[in-house]
Amino acid sequence: MRRNDAANRFEIEVDGELAVSNYLMRGNTIYFMHTEVPPSLEGKGIGNTLALASLDYARAHNLRVVPRCQFIAAFIQRHKEYQDLVDGERE
């Protein structure tokens, strides 16, 4: 996985296809806007890998998280250890 600052997204390339999690940074808050995994890569855990790495990045850099992306929001709901990152006042 890599962070592509120019495109404001985290990326994973598998078999020449790109899965992405788009974000916006505002101060010390990261807004996850949309996660997209190509149909040919679905069901392989790529989305979960993106979510995990993105949230670990947020934690490592002391960022608050606003999960505007339904996938990231659902991931956080299932993985309680990331709920402390959520900036509830801005959701």
Side-chain angles (χ1 to χ4, degrees):
M1 202 226 30
R2 65 183 171 258
R3 197 176 94 235
N4 181 337
D5 288 331
N8 292 325
R9 66 188 186 197
F10 292 92
E11 306 172 333
I12 295 177
E13 187 173 345
V14 178
D15 298 330
E17 298 206 61
L18 197 61
V20 300
S21 183
N22 296 302
Y23 63 84
L24 295 174
M25 291 289 294
R26 298 288 182 260
N28 69 339
T29 303
I30 186 167
Y31 294 77
F32 288 103
M33 306 305 288
H34 179 70
T35 299
E36 187 171 340
V37 176
S40 63
L41 298 178
E42 289 178 359
K44 298 180 179 181
I46 304 297
N48 285 334
T49 299
L50 271 172
L52 180 66
S54 300
L55 293 167
D56 285 344
Y57 174 86
R59 184 177 305 285
H61 291 85
N62 297 313
L63 300 173
R64 301 299 297 155
V65 169
V66 178
R68 297 258 169 92
C69 167
Q70 292 179 357
F71 184 85
I72 298 291
F75 184 91
I76 292 170
Q77 193 67 23
R78 288 190 316 271
H79 297 87
K80 307 292 186 204
E81 65 272 23
Y82 291 103
Q83 289 181 355
D84 65 306
L85 297 175
V86 175
D87 188 340
E89 294 180 21
R90 298 184 188 208
E91 279 189 77

